[in-house]
Amino acid sequence: MTAGLLTRITDALRLTTARPVLHRSVDVGEGPVVVLLHGLASSWHTFSDLVPLLEPRHRVIALDLLGFGLSVAPPSTGFTIDEHVDAVATSLRRLRLGGPVILVGHSLGALVAARLAATTPRLVRHLVMISPPIYPAAGDLTSSIDQAAMRAYTRAFDFLRSNKQFTIRNATVLARLLPMQGILEVTEANWHAFALSLENSIQRQSTIVDVASVTVPVDVVYGSLDPLLLPAGIKVIGSMRQVTVHRVDGGDHVLRKRIAAAVAAVVDDDGARDS
């Protein structure tokens, strides 16, 4: 083996090793693999009502997104959508799952899942997006109501990112009022992951383009009372031929029992197509 070839192999191994591998918080059950990606400042607890519904017929894996839970937060990362996707893709390859998976993402996790399905289709057989905060570019919004809502979201997100202590303090209070523990965690430890993911993966998103590029079936599940969704965004992707939208009356942004049941039905339908 020449010195030059050895150097190239060593460099390739170093780059592969340097890619972060995400922590696996849940790995239960047997059968077709379902991979769960939580939302911003959250954890696998998001899926507390969903995992028991899937486990009897599937292998269910929940990953902590980059910078959240027990996953690493490399100091050099900007927490862009592509960095989140790269970490998920690397982790799936390391798991050697033997084929494409049913990829389920909630909120930010839905945006990450859509980009992964668009850019690395061999890893995904079915994309399920729960409560996806899809925000079209301001210039693409024709309704004055949608324009006003988008301006309000932008101001709110900018304020949260610019007022660290306020955000941490109020997130802590809100977390105590939510139905499951661990579904909202904004702390000193994950602040950079939170603020940069909000800016670089949610506010600066291309999810509509990503979903349009996905070739596998896409199901979108959302609650009728979700305050973080822009109806125009759901309408745009809902018009795409590979996308089926499921509206859950009375549901909000939290993945409660009603939405969990709707998601489980979608995943089970995927399995029924294979039988």
Side-chain angles (χ1 to χ4, degrees):
M1 182 180 294
T2 65
L5 179 57
L6 180 59
T7 299
R8 289 196 294 274
I9 292 174
T10 302
D11 289 344
L13 288 173
R14 186 180 298 114
L15 285 172
T16 300
T17 303
R19 286 178 170 172
V21 176
L22 300 177
H23 179 260
R24 201 178 351 155
S25 291
V26 173
D27 192 342
V28 296
E30 295 181 355
V33 179
V34 180
V35 175
L36 308 177
L37 305 178
H38 63 75
L40 183 69
S42 194
S43 71
W44 75 268
H45 293 285
T46 289
F47 303 104
S48 294
D49 286 333
L50 178 61
V51 171
L53 300 179
L54 299 179
E55 181 182 354
R57 293 172 297 280
H58 300 86
R59 180 181 176 188
V60 184
I61 297 171
L63 300 175
D64 291 342
L65 290 182
L66 197 65
F68 298 102
L70 296 178
S71 286
V72 296
S76 60
T77 186
F79 295 95
T80 65
I81 195 77
D82 287 324
E83 288 170 317
H84 279 297
V85 166
D86 186 65
V88 174
T90 298
S91 303
L92 294 181
R93 293 188 184 104
R94 289 286 187 91
L95 287 171
R96 301 180 184 276
L97 298 172
V101 304
I102 302 169
L103 188 60
V104 178
H106 175 259
S107 195
L108 168 62
L111 308 190
V112 174
R115 174 63 67 86
L116 177 62
T119 58
T120 317
R122 65 184 177 277
L123 293 179
V124 182
R125 57 178 274 180
H126 185 177
L127 171 63
V128 182
M129 305 175 71
I130 309 169
S131 308
I134 298 173
Y135 302 136
D140 295 335
L141 296 171
T142 56
S143 164
S144 59
I145 295 175
D146 290 333
Q147 291 171 353
M150 196 64 250
R151 287 194 297 269
Y153 285 135
T154 299
R155 287 195 298 269
F157 295 155
D158 288 345
F159 180 85
L160 292 176
R161 290 190 294 102
S162 301
N163 293 272
K164 177 180 176 180
Q165 295 307 321
F166 170 89
T167 301
I168 291 176
R169 182 171 60 252
N170 283 275
T172 301
V173 172
L174 178 59
R176 297 194 189 106
L177 304 176
L178 293 175
M180 292 96 76
Q181 292 184 345
I183 64 173
L184 178 61
E185 296 179 338
V186 183
T187 65
E188 290 284 350
N190 71 10
W191 172 255
H192 287 294
F194 167 80
L196 291 175
S197 294
L198 177 57
E199 180 180 14
N200 295 331
S201 292
I202 294 179
Q203 290 185 262
R204 298 176 182 175
Q205 63 170 267
S206 58
T207 306
I208 290 174
V209 175
D210 292 335
V211 175
S213 302
V214 174
T215 56
V216 300
V218 180
D219 282 273
V220 177
V221 182
Y222 76 99
S224 61
L225 302 179
D226 193 329
L228 297 179
L229 297 195
L230 191 67
I234 299 296
K235 183 177 180 180
V236 170
I237 64 170
S239 66
M240 299 177 186
R241 61 181 179 80
Q242 81 279 26
V243 178
T244 303
V245 176
H246 311 264
R247 182 178 181 267
V248 178
D249 289 335
D252 56 18
H253 198 69
V254 178
L255 209 168
R256 304 174 196 263
K257 293 185 183 298
R258 284 187 187 179
I259 293 181
V263 174
V266 165
V267 173
D268 285 343
D269 281 347
D270 179 278
R273 286 196 293 268
D274 285 344
S275 59

